Structures are given as C-alpha cells and as structure tokens.
Amino acid sequence: MSQYFDMGEETLWNPSNGASRLFQRQVAVFEAELGLPSGIGPMVNDECQIAPGAFETFVDALLAQHRRTSHAIVLALSEGFTVTVLVLAERAGIAIDWAHLGAAPDGPPQDVQVSAPTGMSTPAEGGAWGAGLREKARELSRRMPR
C-alpha cells in the first residue's frame, strides 16, 4: 500500500503507508513549532493535497529556522524532515532563495548549544549549510518514489 502527496494533478511523492504516517506526524510537530500551517492537507482515501501558497510559506519558515539553529540535537532531529520537505518543494517548483538563506541568519540564534570547553556554537557558514542541504535533498530525491 502507498499514499499520494499531490499538488493539483501532479504527484510529488508516493511513499509507503508507514513513511507517510511518520511524515504526517512530523508535519504536525513542525506546524506547531513554527506556528504556521504547512499547506499539507489531510490524507483522504490515500491522497493528500498540498496547497502551493501555504506550503511555500512553510518551507521558507522551516529553512529559516533550520538556518538559525546550531544545536546538534535539534539539527539531528529536524534534518531528515527538512530535507524531505525540500525535495517536495523542489518537485513542486518552489524557488528557494539560497543566497538570502545563506546570509547571516535573520533574527537571533535559536536553540544554540553551549559547552564549557568550546562556548556557544554558531550556525554553519551559509554556503556550506545550503550546499549540504541541497546535496542531501538530491540524494534523497533519487530514493523518493513519485
């Protein structure tokens, strides 16, 4: 069995039920964290519609939050979801402003990690941060069925 994540008539992703269920639960977590709707609708009869405008706003906010974070655990917990959303965004034709995101993070740092020996960690350098996410998204995209 599988489920469909569609934008209009185009299928962006056709995961197994288990992968879909886990992803949908993570969507709810990140909607709560960001205080924004994702645009990813409910699963009805194994189909889910994604609203382009709301999804684009969600993607931008998710990437901005990820960029401001330097906490190793927060990054580890959120990176897989962020990369999956990035693949869906690319398949949906959503343009990501990597230059803007790669600049110094907007707003104060969030969830910074502080250790006695090294002090406060800082977010990764912008170019490396964006390149790393794009590479992980390319690799995942090859494994994500449409």
Side-chain angles (χ1 to χ4, degrees):
M1 295 289 297
S2 62
Q3 298 185 325
Y4 296 86
F5 288 81
D6 299 331
M7 187 171 284
E9 296 296 316
E10 182 180 359
T11 297
L12 304 179
W13 186 28
N14 178 226
S16 68
N17 290 350
S20 174
R21 199 170 41 252
L22 182 59
F23 178 73
Q24 290 171 314
R25 289 183 177 137
Q26 289 180 320
V27 166
V29 167
F30 283 91
E31 284 176 331
E33 283 295 308
L34 296 171
L36 287 171
S38 65
I40 299 172
M43 191 61 66
V44 178
N45 297 323
D46 292 330
E47 294 181 357
C48 169
Q49 278 294 320
I50 300 175
F55 186 56
E56 184 171 3
T57 300
F58 180 79
V59 170
D60 289 343
L62 179 66
L63 289 171
Q65 179 192 44
H66 192 275
R67 176 72 178 109
R68 287 190 308 268
T69 302
S70 63
H71 195 288
I73 301 303
V74 172
L75 289 171
L77 290 170
S78 64
E79 191 167 86
F81 177 78
T82 302
V83 169
T84 303
V85 167
L86 184 55
V87 171
L88 293 176
E90 289 174 350
R91 289 179 178 180
I94 294 173
I96 307 296
D97 187 350
W98 291 105
H100 173 73
L101 286 166
D106 292 336
Q110 291 181 318
D111 294 316
V112 296
Q113 187 167 345
V114 179
S115 71
T118 62
M120 186 171 74
S121 62
T122 58
E125 185 272 319
W129 171 82
L133 277 181
R134 287 192 304 273
E135 179 55 33
K136 288 174 184 172
R138 277 190 294 275
E139 183 179 316
L140 182 61
S141 183
R142 290 189 291 270
R143 299 170 188 218
M144 277 179 67
R146 280 191 184 243

